[in-house]
């Protein structure tokens, strides 16, 4: 089930910086309506790094509540402390969560053996399926394919979100892992090519505001109809690019607010509001993309 267009949803907040359940419910319903294949709650795009532990759990549980079994929910439960990652994961047992997305430990810069031991320890302490998340641009540490392959042999590690943009890794990992090991892109702009090479889908930022088109693009790609998928992806490419004009989730939160999907575009420090010049550029692309939003 965890294939195709998987959205990494934003975490909506009110003007005081508190979690806005009303907007969160609206977002989840938007994705159900537009056939998004699954939701990642409290990932990078969901501002996991600025939520406290109670908020982290509450947002995930609220997402599960609003999904009401109509769309699978994946929880972001990674941390740079192995013990904390285990705790975040175990807090969600029997919650109805479909899987967990666990990021490579950031700041510590562990060795490849340290990465293996970290994810192995998490796997040993839960039965919830685990999806690895490799994003060196944010963590300062790159989990190499050989480590991913080794981890894929553990009982409940079911896939990886690979956000390096290195398309050679699709083949390198796929060649040495079991057939049903999930390969998910973490980069919207190269996601179609990633799928063309054998990937199973994308955990997407763009899908926050272009859910239907992202679903259709991934659907055609999984059906091997890359001609139709490419036509849609060409329409989406300006969004893929502009939504990273400033660090994620700054632009996507502003865009979702501008399109009426959330009430406010509040962020928490050290994230700051989208700059005026970037607003002008993003607004232009949103206007040009009206037909697909």
């Amino acid at each position: 089930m965890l294939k195709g267009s998987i959205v990494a949803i934003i975490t909506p907040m009110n003007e005081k910086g508190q979690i806005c359940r009303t907007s969160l419910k609206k977002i989840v319903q938007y994705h159900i309506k537009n056939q998004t294949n699954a939701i990642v709650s409290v990932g990078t795009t969901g501002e996991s790094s600025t939520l406290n532990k109670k908020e982290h759990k509450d947002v995930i549980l609220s997402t599960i509540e609003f999904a009401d079994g109509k769309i699978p929910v994946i929880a972001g439960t990674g941390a740079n402390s192995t013990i904390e990652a285990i705790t975040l994961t175990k807090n969600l047992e029997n919650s109805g969560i479909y899987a967990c997305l666990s990021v490579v430990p950031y700041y510590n810069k562990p060795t490849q053996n340290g990465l293996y031991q970290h994810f192995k320890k998490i796997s040993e302490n839960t039965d919830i399926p685990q999806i690895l998340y490799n994003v060196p641009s944010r963590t300062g540490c790159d989990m190499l394919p050989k480590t991913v392959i080794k981890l894929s042999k553990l009982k409940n590690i079911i896939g990886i979100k690979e956000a390096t943009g290195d398309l050679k890794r699709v083949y390198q990992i796929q060649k040495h892992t079991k057939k049903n090991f999930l390969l998910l892109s973490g980069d919207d702009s190269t996601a179609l090519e990633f799928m063309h090479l054998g990937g199973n889908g994308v955990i997407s930022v763009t899908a926050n505001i272009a859910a239907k088109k992202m679903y259709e693009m991934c659907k055609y790609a999984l059906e091997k109809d890359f001609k139709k998928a490419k036509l849609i992806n060409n329409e989406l490419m300006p969004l893929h690019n502009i939504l990273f004009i400033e660090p994620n989730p700054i632009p996507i939160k502003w865009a979702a607010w501008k399109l009426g999907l959330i009430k406010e575009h509040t962020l928490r420090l050290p994230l700051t509001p989208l700059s005026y010049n970037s607003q002008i550029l993003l607004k232009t692309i949103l206007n040009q993309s009206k037909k697909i939003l």
Side-chain angles (χ1 to χ4, degrees):
M1 289 179 67
L2 300 182
K3 294 183 179 182
S5 177
I6 301 172
V7 63
I9 60 167
I10 53 180
T11 297
M13 300 172 187
N14 62 25
E15 67 279 359
K16 295 181 180 179
Q18 300 163 331
I19 308 303
C20 179
R21 277 177 54 91
T22 302
S23 289
L24 181 59
K25 183 176 183 179
K26 186 175 182 178
I27 291 168
V28 173
Q29 291 175 337
Y30 165 77
H31 287 289
I32 293 170
K33 178 182 177 181
N34 288 286
Q35 297 180 279
T36 298
N37 296 102
I39 288 172
V40 170
S41 178
V42 195
T44 303
T45 309
E47 296 175 73
S48 56
S49 58
T50 64
L51 302 186
N52 63 40
K53 289 183 177 62
K54 183 180 184 304
E55 289 172 326
H56 191 120
K57 183 178 180 180
D58 287 349
V59 171
I60 292 169
L61 292 180
S62 293
T63 305
I64 295 169
E65 175 192 341
F66 299 144
D68 193 28
K70 296 171 184 174
I71 185 170
V73 178
I74 303 164
T77 56
N80 64 340
S81 159
T82 306
I83 293 172
E84 183 179 348
I86 291 169
T87 301
L88 288 171
T89 303
K90 289 185 74 65
N91 280 344
L92 295 169
E93 288 180 348
N94 303 312
S95 67
I97 205 71
Y98 200 89
C100 290
L101 182 69
S102 193
V103 72
V104 163
Y106 42 88
Y107 190 78
N108 301 331
K109 290 190 174 182
T111 63
Q112 295 299 304
N113 181 51
L115 293 174
Y116 176 77
Q117 296 298 334
H118 169 81
F119 289 112
K120 179 174 180 286
K121 196 73 173 176
I122 296 170
S123 174
E124 290 170 346
N125 279 274
T126 185
D127 291 325
I128 300 174
Q130 300 290 305
I131 300 171
L132 310 171
Y133 178 16
N134 188 37
V135 56
S137 63
R138 285 185 177 267
T139 63
C141 182
D142 184 7
M143 183 161 57
L144 300 177
K146 64 179 183 180
T147 306
V148 177
I149 292 162
K150 190 176 178 183
L151 284 165
S152 74
K153 303 182 190 309
L154 301 181
K155 65 179 177 72
N156 58 348
I157 294 182
I158 65 169
I160 183 169
K161 176 185 177 182
E162 178 56 65
T164 58
D166 181 0
L167 295 170
K168 296 190 299 293
R169 295 192 178 195
V170 180
Y171 173 75
Q172 292 169 347
I173 295 170
Q174 195 173 54
K175 182 181 177 182
H176 298 287
T177 54
K178 53 198 172 188
K179 189 176 180 180
N180 61 347
F181 189 76
L182 288 169
L183 286 169
L184 301 169
S185 170
D187 178 39
D188 278 306
S189 63
T190 59
L192 178 56
E193 192 172 354
F194 186 98
M195 295 179 72
H196 201 170
L197 293 170
N200 303 112
V202 56
I203 295 181
S204 171
V205 174
T206 303
N208 275 281
I209 59 170
K212 189 68 172 180
K213 285 295 181 180
M214 283 299 297
Y215 163 77
E216 290 174 350
M217 187 272 284
C218 291
K219 175 179 177 290
Y220 286 128
L222 289 173
E223 292 171 353
K224 309 298 182 186
D225 190 342
F226 291 105
K227 184 177 180 180
K228 287 182 180 177
K230 187 175 181 180
L231 287 173
I232 296 171
N233 197 53
N234 288 343
E235 293 181 300
L236 290 165
M237 192 58 73
L239 289 172
H240 294 336
N241 293 330
I242 197 69
L243 290 173
F244 290 89
I245 192 172
E246 291 185 21
N248 181 44
I250 295 171
I252 189 61
K253 213 166 193 183
W254 189 88
W257 166 73
K258 199 69 179 173
L259 293 169
L261 291 169
I262 56 177
K263 290 184 176 181
E264 302 286 342
H265 57 100
T266 308
L267 300 132
R268 288 182 180 176
L269 288 170
L271 296 176
T272 52
L274 189 68
S275 68
Y276 177 76
N277 287 340
S278 293
Q279 286 181 28
I280 298 301
L281 294 171
L282 179 48
K283 187 177 180 180
T284 299
I285 297 298
L286 292 178
N287 286 335
Q288 291 172 355
S289 304
K290 279 182 179 178
K291 289 182 180 180
I292 63 171
L293 296 176

